[in-house]
Amino acid sequence: MLFRLLRLILILTLVVSAPMSFDAAAQGLGQAPAGLVADQQKILQDLTTKTDNFEKQIQQDAEEDSSLVDIRLQLEELSRQSLNSALAFRTRLGEINSRLEQLGAAPAAGQPPEPDIVSGERQALVSEKAEINAVISQAQALSIRISGLIDKIGNMRSELFRNLLTKRYVLSDALSPQVFSDAQDEYTNLYKAVSSWLSFAFKFKFQAILAATFVALGLALVLLVGGRRLFGRVFEADPSNEDPSYLSRLSVAFWSTLLPTLAVAAFLGSTIFFFNYYNVLRGDIGLFLNALATAIGVVFCVNRLTNAALEPRLPNWRLIPVETGPARWLVRLTTAMAVVISVNNFLSVINDKMGSPLSLTIARSFGATIIVGVILILMAMLRPFKARDGSWRPWPAWLRYTALALGLFTIVAALLGYIGLALFVSLQVVVTGTALITAYIGFLSAQAIGEEGAFANTTVGRWLSAKSSYEDTALDQLGLVVSVAINVMIVLVFLPLILLMWGFQLGDIQAWAYKLATGINIGSVTISVTGILSGIVVFIIGYFLTRWFQGWLDGSVMARGKVDTGVRNSIRLAVGYAGVALAALVGISAAGIDLSSLALVAGALSLGIGFGLQNVVSNFVSGLILLAERPFKVGDWIVAGDVSGTVKKISVRATEIETFQRQSVILPNSNLINNAVGNWTHRNKLGRIDIKVGVAYGSDVKQVHAVLLEIARSHPMVLKNPEPFVLFSNFGPAALEFEIRVFLADVMNGNIAQNDIRFAVLEKFSSEHIEMPSTPRAVVEAHKPKAWPTDDDKIEADFAEQEQIKAEAEAEKKRLVKSRKTKKPDPD
């Protein structure tokens, strides 16, 4: 009774509290996401405010290309944040839709009403979904607005670039005497600014300047000395080498340009960095120093490239077969052109910062473009080649006319007032031309290194060949890897430089790199370079860890444990396949590829297996069976059909067998599973060999038996247990046949033992006067008919013989017909 009473009280309590709990649950469903909705609405309001500010800033900085790039980068970040706000509701929307499907549609008119608790929950879910959709719509609208502003910035930047190239200036003001007084005032102001900064820096920041300079110099020296140590002879030309290869000349030209330029860039860049770190620079001096560092770097790079490619002092190392005198002039002219362009860019930064008159800026750019055009014309008119008759020959026609056209175009554009266009062309000729030539030399060097046998002839290749056990094939493969690495390095270094020279800002490159790294959407597929590279790196790490574990397990564990060679091979292969498969799976996951999406590939693969991959799968499964059951192992002597030899390698597809003639035979594993295979050394190498011996009839067989048994017992390779045995096997047609049967500890030495025993048999039979019969050859003498005289008698005799043969054949035919007619039928 007590238990019944307690159960009744419990049921009543549940019935009374059930509506309250359902109401609370429904209320919770409506209130739980309220915090999330409020948070995202606040975030979107902040993003909208920032977008409004950036829209105003776009109008203010409409003439500043770098400011527009910075605004675009920040707007792209706002766009990503707005999309993240919309994605924050993805999980909750999925839950709401799932619950609404479970509740079903509301009852139609005339149907029985549903419980209030169900209708209340549906209404709460629908209202919550409406609030979430409103926030998502707000986020999408903001994202669309930001995308419009980004497109507007792109159009504004394109318009600025077009105006820069097509704007025409009046040269009369720029060429007036007032320009000289403006230049003098500009120089005075610059001198005052730099001298005041120097006095401040040496008075209060002298130690910081020294520390920054020495640290930057140390970094540059480390890079330069390390490059010399690493690349050795490919860094500088060897004067003693009178006939360097094309690869050597390319390598010297490329690395002797790139490494010193990187060292100078590291010195200048780290100096400015540490100056900023120690607060040595102020705003205007920082801009001036950055411009000066850029100018120095450009001049140094151009000078190094022309010296490396033309080598005025070493004619044998020149990439271009010009004469020594023209080579020197080319180096001077290209360096002078780089100096003009670099100085002009440095002065343009000073003019912009100090607010110089427009006439001074036009005069400066006009003079620089005219000088560059004249230098291009002088380079085109140069005659660098000498013919066999001693006459000087000009450049090829296409190169000469291209340089002339660029020079004349620059001068004409400057004279017509298109200073921006002329200056842009001049800058591209110097800077972009230098970058492209250096990159092209690098590509040629990488291509030459990747050719067969080329890397082995380099300094690094010879060092690796001497210091390690690399074979020519491995060095060739390493040369391909080095070639690919050089190509990738050239693209990563020179592509941004060329883009910067063509009017793109650093922010543009950063935005493209971010999109490339985070993912590019192609339909419903997202390709992420970062994810792919991460997956490749993870797979490579897993692969090398697997190989290391294989070597450690085989060499340290199983070798010390005296594990059989075949067992070691099976375990090593199993560990290798398992490790590579695991590394591939982890790499695919790290690349961001959903493994469940590979189900379609698996289905297609199974279909392919059903049609065309049956033999492949059969061999694969057979290989796994061979590795597991181990009917033979590496080193065993097996006989498979017509193939007899030693097992060298067992893989999952085929088994490699080396015959005793040193021929490698690759047998599919399914043949070894489905057919009979003989294994001479399955459990051990103990084996029996049989040697047949024949003696003449009339010999003393007891004596022969004793002699053969003594010979067998006396051989050192023959085992005492099981003891050797001599069998009197047969009365042959020409001899009495005996068979020597002996056991060897290693059946692989069977041929040696047989050879020794046969020599011993011949020697013993000769001393004991035991005769070994042999069947003499039948001597067949060829019958040659007598030659007929070549006259009419022979022809007549041949004709008579043919007529006689025909008559005999007709008579035989008539006789057979007659005999058939007279023959009686057989009785039934």
Side-chain angles (χ1 to χ4, degrees), residues 160-171:
L160 285 176
F161 187 70
R162 285 193 296 269
N163 291 336
L164 175 67
L165 297 182
T166 59
K167 186 175 182 179
R168 186 176 181 182
Y169 297 92
V170 179
L171 299 180

Side-chain angles (χ1 to χ4, degrees), residues 348-618:
S348 68
V349 174
I350 296 176
N351 295 150
D352 293 339
K353 184 63 179 176
M354 304 189 71
S356 303
L358 181 62
S359 59
L360 182 61
T361 302
I362 296 174
R364 168 185 51 78
S365 301
F366 177 79
T369 53
I370 293 296
I371 294 174
V372 171
V374 171
I375 292 175
L376 284 173
I377 293 174
L378 290 177
M379 293 173 65
M381 299 301 294
L382 197 65
R383 295 176 177 269
F385 305 107
K386 183 179 286 187
R388 293 182 179 179
D389 57 356
S391 60
W392 292 94
R393 294 187 295 109
W395 295 104
W398 66 271
L399 182 60
R400 184 170 70 254
Y401 291 138
T402 301
L404 280 172
L406 288 174
L408 292 174
F409 178 82
T410 303
I411 295 174
V412 172
L415 292 175
L416 293 177
Y418 295 100
I419 303 298
L421 178 60
L423 191 61
F424 179 78
V425 172
S426 303
L427 184 64
Q428 303 316 313
V429 168
V430 177
V431 182
T432 306
T434 302
L436 288 176
I437 292 173
T438 307
Y440 180 66
I441 293 174
F443 283 130
L444 291 179
S445 178
Q447 181 180 359
I449 290 176
E451 293 180 356
E452 184 176 0
F455 184 73
N457 295 325
T458 61
T459 304
V460 179
R462 287 191 293 268
W463 181 83
L464 287 175
S465 179
K467 299 295 183 180
S468 62
S469 58
Y470 284 112
E471 298 179 353
D472 292 340
T473 304
L475 289 177
D476 270 344
Q477 296 174 351
L478 186 59
L480 290 176
V481 174
V482 172
S483 176
V484 172
I486 293 175
N487 287 327
V488 172
M489 182 195 69
I490 292 170
V491 172
L492 294 179
V493 171
F494 289 98
L495 183 60
L497 290 177
I498 294 173
L499 292 176
L500 290 174
M501 292 303 104
W502 278 85
F504 296 96
Q505 298 292 332
L506 187 60
D508 296 324
I509 301 174
Q510 291 176 352
W512 297 336
Y514 180 81
K515 290 181 180 179
L516 192 64
T518 55
I520 300 173
N521 294 325
I522 302 177
S524 60
V525 180
T526 301
I527 300 176
S528 173
V529 177
T530 303
I532 294 174
L533 293 178
S534 300
I536 293 174
V537 170
V538 169
F539 174 75
I540 292 174
I541 293 174
Y543 177 81
F544 282 106
L545 284 177
T546 300
R547 292 291 179 245
W548 170 82
F549 182 74
Q550 276 184 296
W552 174 79
L553 184 65
D554 184 45
S556 299
V557 178
M558 293 189 291
R560 291 184 180 180
K562 307 298 182 183
V563 181
D564 184 73
T565 305
V567 177
R568 289 168 56 183
N569 179 72
S570 299
I571 295 176
R572 185 174 64 250
L573 287 176
V575 170
Y577 289 127
V580 171
L582 181 61
L585 292 176
V586 176
I588 291 173
S589 299
I593 300 175
D594 188 5
L595 293 178
S596 61
S597 62
L598 299 179
L600 181 62
V601 179
L605 183 61
S606 62
L607 184 63
I609 291 173
F611 286 100
L613 301 178
Q614 294 179 356
N615 292 333
V616 175
V617 175
S618 176

Side-chain angles (χ1 to χ4, degrees), residues 101 193 296 390 441 509 542 636 688-689 728 752 759 792 813:
E101 289 179 1
I296 294 174
I441 293 174
I509 301 174
D636 282 357
R688 193 189 80 181
I689 60 173
F728 187 4
I752 299 175
F759 277 118
D792 293 339
K813 184 176 180 181

Side-chain angles (χ1 to χ4, degrees), residues 690-709:
D690 302 335
I691 304 172
K692 294 181 179 180
V693 180
V695 297
Y697 278 92
S699 302
D700 187 352
V701 293
K702 297 289 185 180
Q703 180 187 9
V704 172
H705 183 274
V707 168
L708 295 178
L709 191 58

Side-chain angles (χ1 to χ4, degrees), residues 193-214 271 275 278-282 285 289:
V194 174
S195 61
S196 64
W197 172 77
L198 287 176
S199 62
F200 164 78
F202 281 99
K203 186 176 181 180
F204 299 101
K205 298 287 186 178
F206 182 71
Q207 294 181 352
I209 291 176
L210 286 180
T213 304
F214 279 114
T271 300
F275 278 7
Y278 290 115
N279 295 322
V280 176
L281 299 176
R282 67 186 190 209
I285 300 300
L289 194 58

